[in-house]
């Protein structure tokens, strides 16, 4: 078995041989990655079911299709992404060639989480490969079946010299982080992110952090409660609430809450039937440890469990649960829930709700449900978050055109589509000057003078080229 | 509460009032900054003269001209930069609004350097203000006169609460770094860059690091050596070599080495006269510590031009060194002084190898008539930037990102890049609660049929452009066949 340093040395040698630079190579790897997903769809679905009891539908949509979509996007656009970008010049540089070149960074590290173990590992990988890097892939050991599958499949489909899977738990990851990488892409929690950043600082390695937070969901003004309930239930209980962009808690008036709760109850029955534990469309909590954590929150809440609450430890099952009369200092408001529990806080005014969200850390996503565009606009303009979506949940992150990332405590940097390519590239400024116009250059040489200076002012101002 | 804590707290409170949101208020501050730079030209020049012995013209050329340009560009383009940026949609979001919304980050910390105390502190500030942030400005204490002027005069032009100037040395900077910021913009050495990043890690604060390195300069034998040497001499000895993008060392073939030496010697005389020590447009080393550091670097190499010095004035003559190898003392660290080592290599292959054995620099310079050679250097090396056939001037093109890679830094700025760097690009999807029927394919209970439709509709990207073209084509074919049938049969 190769040691971590042997793996890194192999990848660095491969990168220095410049094998990942040509477009053809990157295309081949991306195409192979596509085959890997297509050929093994069943195994992927099975592994995800083993890890999270993920329903086939969810697995296909959020772990297979979204990855395929990103691959299509990369393959269709790679040529244009790799093109140099020519930029505007001033008069002094009119005859020069000025452009920005996208170049690979080198050997990058991608650390994946357990909640969408395929998507959140492979989508960054697509960006890294497209950008021409060599990649060390570290899947989460918590989603063990997917970890096994990725370890088996990656070397079968991708170049073994350029892409390697490194496995292990906290100890192995800490050892891995001691090495020097040219970029680290981490998806996970704030606590581990701090460790990653500290390790990166030692080598001046740039980092992308995709973290989480409590994503608020405000429901105000005139609202179609049924439609809102459908979308809220879907986005909250997808993957049993274990999504970094799941609506964490709801803020609305008492009247809205009274209209919403029966709608939620109805939708839950429509979706999962009367015995939700028997529905094949509901996931489970990933580990007994997380199940215990969530049950702890439910036991400590001072709110009223109005829907759900059923649980089964052996099955790691917690029913989709709605809790009302939740206060700001409730146990459910302490940390990111990351589970199928939906607290509803009753706050009469929209302004008060917005004020409450401002006392909390900036989340990964911010949601508002309303038929009134003025309400949507007010929330958008008075909040800060990684992303924003009105009248739906999660779906904004499925669009490759939108940068997916956080701000503040929810992270920094972003990816998806072209943004992923940029995240793993260095934007190198290139300027090719000619030999002519040396007389013009003389304006800048000593001895300096007022006259020279005023000529230089004119020729180097960005406006001056518009006269020409 | 410490002075630093107070400044950050006031800045945050002020930011939270929302007063930096309207573009007019940002433009107002930018105009004030421009007034500061133009009205206080004399104060700025005097301070820089005391700090670095730079002449007034030199200050204007290398410090304030750039800042003025950046401010004017930001004022002109702000509306464009700050506008929501539309994005490609999927089949199902065709009727939704999808855009990226640039938003302020909050309170930014800008730590300036001493070599161009105004340029490298105020240019990031332009980006910070334009992006709608508050900014705590920490000028370098090493250029103490400039720091003092900044502290005294800037608050007379800019909002005191939003843009406080906090001066001080290492302990004060450490106290500042203990506070929470939404972004830290640091210009300086790699060693301190690591400490800044480590401090930022505590609060998960993103950083922009503009560091340095040894920027190599390769002179191909096939080039106009006279012009090349003029440009290199200029680039090297501006500010006495204390420029992060100064050509640190020269690589060339032995066959042209003496010519290069001779040309540079002549240029030095032309630019700085026979006695640079008495010449107004030649500067000084910032302080005794750096003077001693640079003098010690000459050990083991041979001086061919210059070499004389005067510690009492922190004066080091423009100096060229030969008999330098990769192991020489002068090659062990970034020189940041007026010593130009010439190292001989057998050709561009060896030059590329030499460069790649070392940390990625802020810039690579290559002088050659052959485009192919230049393209090779571009393709086979990595650096913040690459400039062919000149030195320094890429800094003046605001449409080029200015930043490093690897040990020379992370992030970039200038022009729109500065605005983007200090903004949060927020993804926005504005949907309506209508068309709920379409959504039903994604809801449980899941069936194979729903899955089929979902796979097609939910995620497929469509190229609207191509679809439009196809529809146009179909329309044209329809119309054409109609015309043919009706009129031509």
């Amino acid at each position: 078995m190769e040691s971590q340093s042997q793996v890194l040395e192999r990848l660095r040698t491969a990168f220095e041989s410049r094998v990942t630079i040509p477009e053809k190579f990157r295309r081949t790897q991306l195409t192979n990655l596509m085959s890997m997903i297509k050929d093994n769809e069943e195994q992927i679905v099975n592994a995800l079911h083993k890890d999270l009891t993920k329903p086939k539908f969810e697995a296909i949509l959020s772990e297979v299709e979204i990855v395929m979509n990103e691959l299509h996007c990369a393959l269709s656009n790679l040529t244009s992404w790799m093109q140099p970008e020519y930029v505007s010049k001033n008069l002094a540089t009119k005859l020069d060639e000025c452009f920005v070149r996208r170049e690979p960074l080198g050997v990058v590290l991608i650390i994946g989480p357990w909640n969408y173990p395929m998507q959140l590992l492979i989508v960054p990988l697509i960006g890294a490969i497209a950008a021409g890097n060599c990649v060390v892939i570290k899947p989460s050991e918590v989603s063990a079946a997917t970890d096994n599958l990725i370890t088996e499949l990656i070397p079968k489909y991708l170049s073994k010299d350029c892409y390697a899977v490194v496995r292990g738990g906290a100890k192995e990851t800490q050892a891995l982080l001691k090495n020097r990488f040219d970029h680290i892409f981490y998806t996970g929690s704030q606590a581990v992110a701090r460790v990653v950043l500290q390790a990166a600082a030692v080598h001046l390695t740039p980092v992308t952090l995709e973290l989480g937070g409590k994503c608020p969901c405000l429901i105000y003004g005139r609202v179609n409660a049924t439609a809102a309930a459908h979308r809220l239930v879907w986005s909250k209980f997808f993957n049993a609430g274990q999504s970094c962009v799941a609506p964490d808690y709801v803020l609305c008036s008492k009247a809205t809450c009274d209209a919403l709760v029966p709608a939620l109850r109805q939708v839950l029955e429509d979706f999962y039937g009367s015995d939700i534990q028997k529905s094949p469309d509901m996931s489970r909590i990933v580990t007994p440890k997380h199940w215990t954590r969530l049950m702890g929150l439910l036991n400590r809440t001072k709110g009223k469990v109005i829907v759900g609450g059923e649980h089964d430890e052996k099955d790691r099952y917690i029913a989709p649960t709605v809790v009302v009369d939740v206060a700001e200092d409730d146990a459910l408001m302490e940390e990111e829930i990351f589970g199928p529990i939906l607290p509803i806080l009753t706050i009469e005014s929209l302004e008060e709700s917005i004020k409450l969200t401002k006392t909390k850390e900036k989340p990964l996503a911010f949601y508002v449900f309303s038929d009134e565009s003025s309400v949507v606009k007010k929330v958008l303009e008075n909040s800060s978050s990684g992303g924003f979506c009105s009248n739906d949940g999660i779906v904004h992150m499925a669009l490759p055109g939108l940068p997916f990332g956080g701000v503040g405590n929810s992270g920094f940097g972003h990816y998806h589509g072209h943004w992923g390519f940029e995240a793993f590239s260095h934007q190198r400024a290139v300027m090719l000057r000619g030999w002519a116009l040396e007389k013009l250059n003389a304006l800048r040489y000593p001895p300096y003078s007022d006259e020279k200076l005023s000529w230089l002012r004119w020729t180097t101002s960005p406006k001056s080229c518009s006269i020409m | 509460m410490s002075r630093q804590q107070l400044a950050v707290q006031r800045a945050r409170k002020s930011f939270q009032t929302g007063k930096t949101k309207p573009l007019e208020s940002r433009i107002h501050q930018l105009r004030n900054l421009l007034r500061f730079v133009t009205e206080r030209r004399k104060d700025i020049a005097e301070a820089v003269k005391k700090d670095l012995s730079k002449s007034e013209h030199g200050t204007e050329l290398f410090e304030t001209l750039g800042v003025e340009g950046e401010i004017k560009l930001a004022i002109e383009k702000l509306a464009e930069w700050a506008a929501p940026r539309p994005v490609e949609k999927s089949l199902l979001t065709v009727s939704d609004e999808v855009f990226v919304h640039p938003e302020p980050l909050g309170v930014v910390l800008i730590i300036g350097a001493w070599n161009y105390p105004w340029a490298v502190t105020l240019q990031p500030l332009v980006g910070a203000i334009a992006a709608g942030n508050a900014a705590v400005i920490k000028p370098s204490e090493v250029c103490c006169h400039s720091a003092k002027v900044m502290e005294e005069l800037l608050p007379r032009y800019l909002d005191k609460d939003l843009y406080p100037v906090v001066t001080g040395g290492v302990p004060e900077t450490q106290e500042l770094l203990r506070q929470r910021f939404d972004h830290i913009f640091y210009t300086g050495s790699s060693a301190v860059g690591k400490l800044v990043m480590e401090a930022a890690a505590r609060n998960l604060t993103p950083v922009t690091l503009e560091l340095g390195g040894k920027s190599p300069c390769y002179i191909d034998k096939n080039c106009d050596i006279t012009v090349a040497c003029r440009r290199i001499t200029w680039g090297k000895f501006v500010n006495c070599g204390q420029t992060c993008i100064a050509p640190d060392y020269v690589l060339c073939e032995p066959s042209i080495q003496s010519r290069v030496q001779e040309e540079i010697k002549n240029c030095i005389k032309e630019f700085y006269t026979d006695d640079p020590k008495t010449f107004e447009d030649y500067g000084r080393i910032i302080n005794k510590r750096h003077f001693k550091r640079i003098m010690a670097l000459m050990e083991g190499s041979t001086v061919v031009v210059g070499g004389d010095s005067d510690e009492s004035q922190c004066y080091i003559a423009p100096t060229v060194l030969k008999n330098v190898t990769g192991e020489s003392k002068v090659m062990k660290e970034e020189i940041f002084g007026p010593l130009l080592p010439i190292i001989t290599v057998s050709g561009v292959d060896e030059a590329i190898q030499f460069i790649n054995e070392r940390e990625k620099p802020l810039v690579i310079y290559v002088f050659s008539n052959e485009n192919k050679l230049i393209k090779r250097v571009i393709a086979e090396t990595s650096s913040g930037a690459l400039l062919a056939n000149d030195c320094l001037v890429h800094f003046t093109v605001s449409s080029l990102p200015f930043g490093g890679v690897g040990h020379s830094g992370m992030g970039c700025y200038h022009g729109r890049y500065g605005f983007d760097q200090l903004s949060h690009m927020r993804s926005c999807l504005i949907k309506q609660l209508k068309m709920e029927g379409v959504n039903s394919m994604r809801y449980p209970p899941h069936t194979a049929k729903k899955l089929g439709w979902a796979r097609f509709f939910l995620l497929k990207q469509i190229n609207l452009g191509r679809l439009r073209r196809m529809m146009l084509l179909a329309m044209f074919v329809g119309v054409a066949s109609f015309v043919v049938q009706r009129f031509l049969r």
Side-chain angles (χ1 to χ4, degrees):
Chain A
M1 249 268 287
E2 250 187 330
S3 74
Q4 282 183 1
S5 28
Q6 282 171 322
V7 169
L8 257 99
E9 215 187 288
R10 180 159 54 81
L11 261 55
R12 197 153 286 288
T13 310
F15 182 75
E16 278 162 19
S17 75
R18 302 163 49 72
V19 65
T20 59
I21 308 295
E23 187 183 327
K24 188 152 173 251
F25 177 85
R26 306 182 202 187
R27 269 189 192 282
T28 308
Q29 298 304 313
L30 290 171
T31 312
N32 291 351
L33 192 56
M34 198 178 255
S35 305
M36 181 183 108
I37 309 283
K38 272 201 216 152
D39 297 346
N40 298 283
E41 189 177 290
E42 206 184 312
Q43 285 93 308
I44 293 171
V45 170
N46 289 342
L48 291 165
H49 196 266
K50 244 187 161 151
D51 286 328
L52 289 140
T53 318
K54 204 173 279 223
K56 178 173 172 179
F57 189 95
E58 285 189 11
I60 299 279
L61 214 61
S62 68
E63 304 257 31
V64 173
E65 277 304 312
I66 202 168
V67 173
M68 293 297 284
N69 211 28
E70 285 282 329
L71 279 163
H72 280 295
C73 180
L75 284 164
S76 311
N77 294 291
L78 187 59
T79 311
S80 67
W81 290 352
M82 285 178 70
Q83 290 310 306
E85 179 195 345
Y86 283 85
V87 301
S88 61
K89 304 172 270 193
N90 54 39
L91 190 61
T93 50
K94 249 308 176 229
L95 298 180
D96 308 318
E97 248 183 277
C98 290
F99 55 93
V100 180
R101 205 165 174 264
R102 265 75 183 167
E103 301 183 346
L105 292 165
V107 179
V108 306
L109 170 63
I110 298 176
I111 302 176
W114 52 258
N115 59 338
Y116 293 88
M118 280 301 287
Q119 190 214 121
L120 299 178
L121 192 66
I122 305 293
V123 174
L125 178 61
I126 294 169
I129 295 177
N133 301 286
C134 286
V135 191
V136 172
I137 302 156
K138 166 68 186 70
S140 169
E141 73 284 9
V142 175
S143 43
T146 312
D147 184 7
N148 282 337
L149 188 62
I150 288 173
T151 308
E152 182 202 320
L153 293 179
I154 293 275
K156 273 202 194 141
Y157 287 82
L158 299 185
S159 156
K160 281 194 258 298
D161 289 328
C162 302
Y163 315 103
V165 179
V166 170
R167 313 182 63 182
K171 210 174 85 191
E172 287 80 7
T173 312
Q174 274 170 344
L176 191 58
L177 285 169
K178 286 207 170 67
N179 293 290
R180 185 175 176 182
F181 292 96
D182 299 296
H183 194 97
I184 299 175
F185 189 105
Y186 170 74
T187 307
S189 72
Q190 279 87 3
V192 178
R194 279 187 194 96
V195 174
V196 171
L197 264 187
Q198 299 276 11
V202 172
H203 297 290
L204 286 172
T205 300
V207 179
T208 303
L209 296 178
E210 294 274 329
L211 311 176
K214 291 182 78 59
C215 302
C217 179
L218 274 61
I219 309 182
Y220 283 89
R222 208 180 52 248
V223 65
N224 177 338
T226 315
H230 274 91
R231 298 174 189 199
L232 182 55
V233 166
W234 181 80
S235 47
K236 174 68 184 188
F237 301 111
F238 197 94
N239 205 27
Q242 297 163 113
S243 313
C244 43
V245 287
D248 190 278
Y249 61 99
V250 165
L251 298 173
C252 63
S253 67
K254 180 103 184 31
T256 307
C257 182
D258 291 339
L260 189 66
V261 171
L264 292 173
R265 205 177 271 125
Q266 183 59 54
V267 172
L268 280 168
E269 195 178 321
D270 292 343
F271 283 5
Y272 306 111
S274 47
D275 188 352
I276 300 184
Q277 194 173 4
K278 291 213 171 69
S279 164
D281 297 330
M282 187 73 215
S283 294
R284 297 293 182 265
I285 309 307
V286 69
T287 57
K289 188 174 113 189
H290 278 277
W291 186 92
T292 309
R293 177 185 68 81
L294 287 163
M295 287 311 299
L297 293 178
L298 212 53
N299 290 332
R300 287 194 299 130
T301 182
K302 296 203 170 68
K304 186 160 135 222
V305 174
I306 203 164
V307 179
E310 299 88 5
H311 48 273
D312 180 340
E313 187 166 1
K314 214 159 136 230
D315 193 17
R316 296 188 334 266
Y317 167 76
I318 298 178
T321 302
V322 181
V323 184
V324 297
D325 300 333
V326 175
E328 279 177 44
D329 56 359
D330 192 87
L332 288 170
M333 292 302 285
E334 278 167 15
E335 56 182 66
E336 187 178 356
I337 295 171
F338 223 67
I341 305 167
L342 182 64
I344 302 181
L345 285 75
T346 339
I347 296 182
E348 284 313 306
S349 83
L350 174 61
E351 288 73 25
E352 284 299 312
S353 275
I354 291 177
K355 233 166 131 183
L356 172 67
T357 61
K358 284 197 172 154
T359 63
K360 301 206 161 323
E361 292 293 346
K362 296 178 186 180
L364 194 50
F366 209 108
Y367 299 112
V368 58
F369 282 82
S370 184
D371 276 323
E372 291 175 47
S373 61
S374 56
V375 169
V376 172
K377 188 159 182 264
K378 193 165 190 173
V379 177
L380 176 60
E381 288 172 4
N382 289 288
S383 60
S384 180
S385 60
F388 179 90
C389 181
S390 68
N391 295 319
D392 214 331
I394 299 184
V395 292
H396 64 290
M397 65 97 70
L399 295 171
L402 282 176
F404 181 62
V407 67
N409 249 30
S410 50
F412 53 78
H414 38 232
Y415 69 125
H416 279 189
H418 186 212
W419 307 90
F421 178 84
E422 295 281 312
F424 288 102
S425 298
H426 167 50
Q427 296 178 308
R428 190 183 195 190
V430 180
M431 186 169 171
L432 308 178
R433 301 211 81 187
W435 296 96
L437 298 184
E438 184 57 11
K439 281 273 170 359
L440 190 68
N441 265 355
L443 289 176
R444 73 193 198 201
Y445 297 147
Y448 305 134
S449 73
D450 279 331
E451 196 190 333
K452 278 184 178 180
L453 197 53
S454 53
W455 274 111
L456 267 171
R457 264 181 187 286
W458 188 67
T459 57
T460 56
S461 94
K463 262 183 145 53
S464 63
C465 54
S466 59
I467 305 170
M468 306 290 276
Chain B
M1 199 180 285
S2 68
R3 183 169 60 101
Q4 293 79 14
Q5 262 177 311
L6 220 64
V8 178
Q9 216 186 60
R10 264 207 308 267
R12 191 163 291 286
K13 261 207 168 82
S14 200
F15 173 78
Q16 281 165 347
T17 63
K19 57 157 93 159
T20 59
K21 271 225 214 120
L23 299 189
E24 308 83 60
S25 71
R26 304 182 202 181
I27 290 178
H28 179 68
Q29 294 298 320
L30 287 171
R31 282 200 217 281
N32 285 349
L33 188 61
L34 187 61
R35 267 196 315 122
F36 168 73
V37 173
T38 42
E39 282 175 18
R40 298 295 180 166
R41 201 164 285 178
K42 278 254 158 354
D43 298 278
I44 293 172
E46 258 168 49
V48 177
K49 180 128 197 99
K50 289 190 190 135
D51 285 325
L52 289 146
S53 299
K54 200 179 286 185
S55 63
E56 198 175 318
H57 286 128
T59 297
E60 205 175 320
L61 190 56
F62 297 107
E63 294 254 35
T64 52
L65 197 63
V67 176
E68 286 177 44
E70 283 283 309
I71 298 173
K72 288 180 185 154
L73 183 67
I75 293 174
E76 187 193 326
K77 297 280 185 182
L78 188 57
E80 187 190 311
W81 293 349
R85 304 177 188 184
V87 141
E88 210 181 288
K89 302 192 228 189
S90 71
L91 205 55
L92 265 192
T93 49
V94 161
S95 56
D96 305 321
E97 272 177 72
V98 189
F99 55 92
V100 176
H101 193 230
E103 300 184 349
L105 288 166
V107 181
V108 174
L109 171 63
I110 299 174
I111 301 177
W114 54 257
N115 59 339
Y116 292 89
W118 298 92
V120 306
T121 313
L122 296 185
Q123 282 196 20
L125 180 60
V126 173
I129 297 175
N133 301 292
V136 174
I137 303 151
K138 163 69 184 68
S140 169
E141 71 283 9
V142 178
C143 48
C144 51
H145 300 97
S146 296
K148 195 147 175 281
V149 169
M150 210 179 277
E151 186 180 28
E152 265 173 36
L153 297 183
L154 202 60
R156 296 193 203 170
Y157 290 80
L158 296 184
D159 184 313
K160 273 188 276 291
D161 291 326
L162 283 175
Y163 315 108
V165 179
V166 178
T167 53
V170 171
E172 286 83 5
T173 312
Q174 284 171 335
E175 174 64 10
L176 257 185
L177 285 169
R178 275 192 274 273
Q179 311 312 314
R180 187 173 177 186
F181 293 96
D182 299 290
H183 195 102
I184 298 177
F185 194 110
Y186 169 77
T187 306
S189 72
S190 308
V192 179
K194 287 184 188 171
L195 299 175
V196 170
M197 199 172 161
E198 213 177 295
R202 249 176 277 132
N203 291 311
L204 295 174
T205 302
V207 301
T208 303
L209 301 177
E210 295 275 331
L211 311 176
K214 292 181 78 58
S215 298
C217 181
Y218 177 68
I219 308 178
D220 183 34
K221 63 177 186 284
N222 293 320
C223 81
D224 188 334
I225 297 183
T226 310
V227 174
C229 290
R230 283 171 78 77
R231 299 179 179 187
I232 293 168
T233 306
W234 172 77
K236 177 68 180 189
F237 299 109
V238 156
N239 207 28
C240 245
Q242 298 163 117
T243 309
C244 48
I245 46 174
D248 190 279
Y249 62 97
V250 160
L251 296 168
C252 68
E253 286 180 45
S255 57
I256 56 167
Q257 187 186 8
S258 16
R259 170 107 188 267
V260 167
Q261 273 168 217
E262 205 48 41
E263 293 282 357
I264 294 178
K265 187 171 178 191
N266 293 338
C267 283
I268 291 174
K269 209 185 269 187
E270 187 191 326
F271 293 165
Y272 304 110
T273 74
D274 280 312
D275 190 9
K277 195 169 173 192
T278 57
F279 184 57
E280 192 200 19
D281 291 331
Y282 187 70
R284 295 290 181 269
I285 306 305
I286 183 81
N287 59 27
K288 292 245 159 60
R289 180 170 72 88
H290 278 280
F291 173 88
K292 289 194 171 96
R293 178 187 67 79
I294 298 165
M295 290 306 293
L297 291 179
M298 286 200 263
E299 187 188 311
S301 308
T302 310
V303 174
V304 281
V305 182
D308 42 301
S309 60
D310 181 345
E311 185 166 343
S312 67
Q313 279 192 34
C314 285
Y315 166 77
I316 301 179
T319 301
V320 179
L321 303 170
K322 74 170 185 187
N323 294 334
V324 182
T325 68
E327 306 307 306
S328 304
K329 227 171 158 204
V330 75
M331 290 304 289
K332 291 294 182 196
E333 61 181 75
E334 187 177 357
I335 297 168
F336 225 65
L339 312 179
L340 182 58
I342 302 181
I343 298 177
T344 50
V345 288
S346 56
V348 72
D349 289 330
E350 199 188 331
I352 291 175
Q353 199 189 341
F354 190 92
I355 293 170
N356 286 342
E357 279 166 6
R358 290 163 169 72
E359 291 295 342
K360 298 177 186 181
L362 201 45
V363 60
I364 291 177
Y365 296 113
V366 56
F367 286 80
S368 176
N369 276 335
E370 281 179 48
N371 260 341
K372 250 174 100 183
L373 185 142
I374 295 173
K375 294 231 149 50
R376 251 197 84 193
V377 177
I378 295 174
E380 295 179 29
T381 60
S382 178
S383 57
L386 185 134
L387 174 48
N389 303 327
D390 209 340
C391 291
L392 309 188
V393 293
H394 62 293
F395 187 87
T396 67
V397 182
S398 22
S399 49
L400 283 175
F402 184 74
V405 67
H407 273 205
S408 51
M410 56 182 84
C412 58
Y413 70 126
H414 281 184
R416 187 191 175 129
Y417 290 97
F419 175 89
D420 284 1
Q421 183 82 171
L422 296 173
S423 296
H424 168 51
M425 294 300 163
R426 191 182 194 190
S427 302
C428 297
L429 173 59
I430 311 292
K431 298 193 78 169
Q432 309 296 326
L433 279 168
K434 309 180 220 149
M435 296 212 331
E436 187 52 12
V438 187
N439 267 354
S440 65
M441 71 180 98
R442 76 189 200 203
Y443 298 148
H446 301 311
T447 65
K449 190 164 163 197
K450 274 189 185 180
L451 183 57
W453 279 112
R455 286 179 99 137
F456 179 72
F457 272 109
L458 286 180
L459 296 172
K460 282 289 177 288
Q461 281 297 100
I462 50 157
N463 187 339
L464 269 180
R466 205 178 68 193
L467 195 70
R468 227 177 268 128
R469 280 200 296 279
M470 276 166 56
M471 276 168 45
L472 232 66
L473 184 67
M475 219 169 68
F476 171 73
V477 166
V479 169
S481 61
F482 171 75
V483 167
V484 163
Q485 287 213 346
R486 193 76 160 69
F487 299 109
L488 303 177
R489 287 271 160 87

